[in-house]
Amino acid sequence: MRWFALLCFTLAIHAGAQSIPGFAPENSAEANGRALADEAARRDDGFSDSQAAMTMTLFDGRGNSVSRSMQSKTREMANDGDRTVLIFEDPRDVRGTAFLTHSHADRVNDQWLYLPALKRVKRIAANRRNGAFMSSEFSYEDLGNDEVDKYHYRYIGEVVLDDIETHHMERVPTGNSGYSRQEVWLDKEALRLVRVDYYDRGGTLLKTLAVSEFQQYLGKYWRPHRMHMRNVQNGRETVLTWRNYAFNNDLDESEFEPSRLDRWR
C-alpha cells in the first residue's frame, strides 16, 4: 500500500465485476485475504511517481486544533517498496522539517527525520516506529507503505460499511510492530481502502482510520483526499487532506536520500 498511503494504505483501479485471482468461496479465509491484498497492490503498480500538497490538522480532544502545511513526494522503486518524503512548509516552527521513508517488501522500513533546529538527520530506530509522528495520531509505522508480505491475512466476509459494500479482513504483522493486529475494509467496487482499525499490543482497539474523498488519476489510480485518524484511547484526532496531485514528475532517485533532506527548505 502506498504512503497515502501514508499509513501506509493500497489503492486500486475501478474493478466492477472483474474477478480477483485466487479469491473464491471454496478457498480458505487466509487464501482469500491474501488474494485481496495481492490484487489491490497489483492494481496500483506503475504510477512512476507522484506529488501533492497536504494539510495535517491536529485536534486535542478539547476543541483546540492546529494545522500544518506540507508537500508529499513519492517514487516507485524497481524490486523494492516506494520512497516517500514529506516536507513541512508552515507554520514557522516546523518549516523545513523533512521525513523520509524507504519502504521494503521483506524487512523493516528505513526512516529518517531532518530537524532544522538541530541541523541534522535522525534515523528512526525500528523499536521507535510506534512513536507519534510530529505529535499526530499517526505513528512512524503508519507512514510506511504496507507491503503485502509484511502481514498474514484472514478474510472475514462482506459487510456494508457506511453505505459502502466492502470486503472485511484481518491482517497480522509478521514482524516487529506496534500493533497486534489490524482490521481492514476494502470497497468491493475498486478495492480502495476505506477503513482500518488498529489494535495495540494488548489486543485492545487503539485507533480507527477513515479514508474518503477518492479521485481517480490517469484513468487508473485512485487517491484519497481525506484521512481521519481517531485515537479511541486518548480522544485525540488527526486529519490529513490532499490537493493538487500530480503524476509522472520525473522525480530523481537521488532526491530520496537522507543526505538530501536538509535541502528541503
Side-chain angles (χ1 to χ4, degrees):
M1 187 184 305
R2 308 298 168 191
W3 138 237
F4 293 150
L6 90 196
L7 253 216
C8 297
F9 312 136
T10 306
L11 308 172
I13 68 168
H14 181 77
Q18 179 179 338
S19 63
I20 298 171
F23 183 84
E26 65 270 18
N27 292 342
S28 68
E30 290 75 16
N32 279 335
R34 175 66 190 232
L36 284 170
D38 281 335
E39 180 67 3
R42 183 193 67 79
R43 292 177 182 179
D44 199 49
D45 284 342
F47 69 91
S48 181
D49 65 47
S50 66
Q51 59 185 31
M54 294 176 57
T55 299
M56 170 188 283
T57 304
L58 313 179
F59 299 89
D60 66 4
R62 298 186 298 272
N64 304 311
S65 65
V66 61
S67 293
R68 298 163 173 174
S69 298
M70 65 188 90
Q71 292 286 326
S72 173
K73 299 176 185 290
T74 299
R75 187 183 192 276
E76 278 190 311
M77 301 298 297
N79 303 315
D80 202 1
D82 299 342
R83 296 186 176 182
T84 297
V85 62
L86 303 178
I87 309 104
F88 286 80
E89 299 176 328
D90 286 303
R92 181 176 297 179
D93 62 338
V94 296
R95 185 177 303 159
T97 300
F99 176 66
L100 173 67
T101 295
H102 288 186
S103 294
H104 304 296
D106 57 357
R107 63 186 191 277
V108 173
N109 297 335
D110 293 311
Q111 295 179 313
W112 299 266
L113 183 67
Y114 173 71
L115 300 170
L118 301 180
K119 295 184 178 180
R120 71 181 183 91
V121 175
K122 178 176 70 173
R123 188 184 184 96
I124 305 301
N127 61 3
R128 290 195 56 217
R129 295 191 308 140
N130 62 333
F133 173 68
M134 299 293 287
S135 302
S136 76
E137 295 313 303
F138 287 86
S139 70
Y140 291 101
E141 181 177 353
D142 299 334
L143 301 184
N145 295 342
D146 288 339
E147 303 296 335
V148 174
D149 287 340
K150 291 183 176 179
Y151 298 92
H152 294 302
Y153 300 88
R154 181 177 65 88
Y155 184 63
I156 297 174
E158 299 180 7
V159 63
V160 176
L161 180 69
D162 297 329
D163 297 324
I164 301 172
E165 293 185 355
T166 69
H167 291 295
H168 180 200
M169 64 181 182
E170 177 188 69
R171 63 186 186 189
V172 177
T174 58
N176 182 41
S177 172
Y179 308 114
S180 59
R181 66 186 183 94
Q182 301 170 19
E183 289 191 40
V184 175
W185 288 260
L186 303 173
D187 75 352
K188 291 179 64 177
E189 179 188 30
L191 296 188
R192 295 169 294 203
L193 188 79
V194 295
R195 175 170 165 168
V196 183
D197 284 358
Y198 299 88
Y199 291 80
D200 64 22
R201 289 171 177 168
T204 301
L205 180 63
L206 173 62
K207 56 190 183 183
T208 295
L209 176 70
V211 188
S212 61
E213 299 181 17
F214 288 90
Q215 290 188 27
Q216 191 180 52
Y217 295 87
L218 304 182
K220 181 177 181 181
Y221 303 108
W222 290 97
R223 293 293 181 268
H225 283 241
R226 179 181 173 87
M227 288 183 174
H228 182 182
M229 184 74 85
R230 182 174 64 90
N231 190 314
V232 302
Q233 296 187 9
N234 63 26
R236 294 194 289 265
E237 304 174 52
T238 299
V239 175
L240 301 179
T241 58
W242 286 267
R243 62 189 183 280
N244 301 333
Y245 275 107
F247 291 79
N248 298 321
N249 305 285
D250 294 324
L251 299 178
D252 192 86
E253 184 176 343
S254 64
E255 297 184 48
F256 297 86
E257 293 298 329
S259 60
R260 300 290 296 276
L261 288 180
D262 62 351
R263 80 181 186 87
W264 298 110
R265 298 191 181 95

